[in-house]
């Protein structure tokens, strides 16, 4: 059975995927690395950023992945997103450090096809300034969550969580570094989990 599942997985056509970023793009870089493996289920076909200075755009340029910049203050930005998702035949979306809310319209169109990675053990510490709040709350454990995106902020169902124990000496930078290390394992694992179930 496992062999049949593996052969089926191997023959699977990679899903054209768009990654949304706002900053450093470490998860984008990691997903690009995994996507170059024949048996990884997605191909990164488009990168979208709301920040023209996002360092992560360098990875799109380096690996010759088409990218677009959006201005979320513009009334037509969502049309720009939708037309490009259609142009590149995108069937799956990964939010990787994207700092804006996704519109309800986009969520409806891509229902159960948008996932996000969040640097906490949801439902704890939704939203921003996560590491600061974790330390202030004297948490003993933290980690990251890959989840489906719905209309509620960081409220979609969990796909995968990974955790670590917080050291008393840890500061925000330590938490960020340790969490990102887990994120780089969790995100590809979540994608494999999703498509191996289909």
């Amino acid at each position: 059975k496992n062999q049949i599942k593996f052969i089926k997985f191997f023959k699977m056509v990679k899903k054209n995927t768009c990654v949304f970023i706002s900053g450093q793009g470490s998860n984008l870089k990691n997903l690009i690395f995994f996507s170059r493996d024949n048996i990884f289920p997605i191909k990164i076909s488009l990168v979208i950023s709301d920040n023209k200075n996002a360092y992560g755009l360098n990875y799109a340029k380096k690996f010759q992945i088409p990218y677009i910049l959006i201005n979320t203050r513009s009334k037509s930005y969502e049309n720009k997103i939708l037309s490009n998702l259609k142009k590149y035949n995108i069937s799956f979306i990964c939010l990787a450090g994207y700092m804006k809310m996704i519109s309800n319209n986009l969520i409806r169109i891509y229902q159960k096809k948008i996932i996000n990675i969040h640097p906490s053990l949801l439902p704890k510490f939704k939203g921003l300034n996560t590491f600061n709040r974790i330390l202030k709350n004297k948490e003993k454990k933290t980690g990251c969550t890959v989840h489906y995106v719905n209309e509620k902020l960081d409220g979609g169902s969990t796909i995968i969580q990974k955790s670590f124990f917080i050291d008393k000496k840890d500061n925000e930078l330590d938490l960020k570094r340790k969490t990102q290390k887990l994120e780089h394992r969790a995100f590809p694992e979540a994608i494999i989990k999703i498509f191996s179930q289909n």
Side-chain angles (χ1 to χ4, degrees):
K1 279 185 178 178
N2 286 343
Q3 196 176 9
I4 293 166
K5 196 172 183 181
F6 179 80
I7 291 165
K8 184 183 173 187
F9 195 61
F10 186 82
K11 288 182 175 178
M12 179 174 48
V13 177
K14 285 177 175 269
K15 301 288 183 186
N16 286 334
T17 298
C18 177
V19 181
F20 283 61
I21 64 168
S22 292
Q24 290 299 306
S26 75
N27 275 301
L28 169 62
K29 180 187 178 185
N30 188 56
L31 289 178
I32 291 170
F33 172 78
F34 274 90
S35 69
R36 299 177 90 190
D37 190 311
N38 285 335
I39 62 166
F40 197 67
I42 67 166
K43 174 191 174 190
I44 298 173
S45 306
L46 181 65
V47 174
I48 291 179
S49 177
D50 65 319
N51 174 12
K52 68 181 193 300
N53 298 315
Y55 186 81
L57 291 172
N58 291 313
Y59 300 123
K61 292 170 190 171
K62 181 180 177 181
F63 294 98
Q64 298 180 314
I65 299 167
Y67 67 90
I68 62 162
L69 298 171
I70 54 165
N71 176 3
T72 53
R73 289 188 293 273
S74 160
K75 286 182 180 178
S76 61
Y77 87 90
E78 190 177 343
N79 290 336
K80 187 177 181 180
I81 289 174
L82 289 169
S83 64
N84 277 278
L85 293 177
K86 190 175 179 181
K87 178 182 174 183
Y88 291 98
N89 196 25
I90 300 299
S91 59
F92 192 67
I93 294 171
C94 295
L95 308 183
Y98 184 64
M99 304 306 285
K100 300 289 182 185
M101 289 285 284
I102 296 292
S103 74
N104 289 350
N105 184 41
L106 188 58
I107 290 166
R108 275 193 295 272
I109 293 168
Y110 281 87
Q111 195 166 33
K112 282 281 186 180
K113 302 291 182 191
I114 308 176
I115 65 171
N116 179 50
I117 191 152
H118 184 76
S120 79
L121 298 173
L122 293 175
K124 286 185 168 184
F125 306 106
K126 297 178 181 183
L128 303 175
N129 303 316
T130 316
F131 304 121
N132 178 268
R133 290 187 289 142
I134 288 167
L135 290 174
K136 277 187 175 175
N137 210 50
K138 293 183 168 49
E139 292 291 311
K140 289 184 174 142
K141 195 163 83 165
T142 188
C144 64
T145 306
V146 184
H147 65 95
Y148 287 106
V149 173
N150 65 11
E151 287 86 353
K152 293 176 183 175
L153 175 67
D154 297 326
S157 58
T158 295
I159 303 158
I160 270 180
Q161 281 190 330
K162 290 194 178 293
S163 63
F164 64 91
F165 287 99
I166 299 169
D167 193 290
K168 287 177 183 175
K169 296 174 190 171
D170 282 345
N171 58 28
E172 284 185 52
L173 202 60
D174 294 323
L175 290 191
K176 183 178 180 180
R177 183 175 49 81
K178 290 178 181 181
T179 303
Q180 279 190 336
K181 204 171 176 182
L182 282 189
E183 287 179 352
H184 295 164
R185 285 171 47 208
F187 221 159
E189 279 183 29
I191 291 167
I192 288 168
K193 183 179 178 182
I194 290 165
F195 289 104
S196 64
Q197 289 171 345
N198 291 346

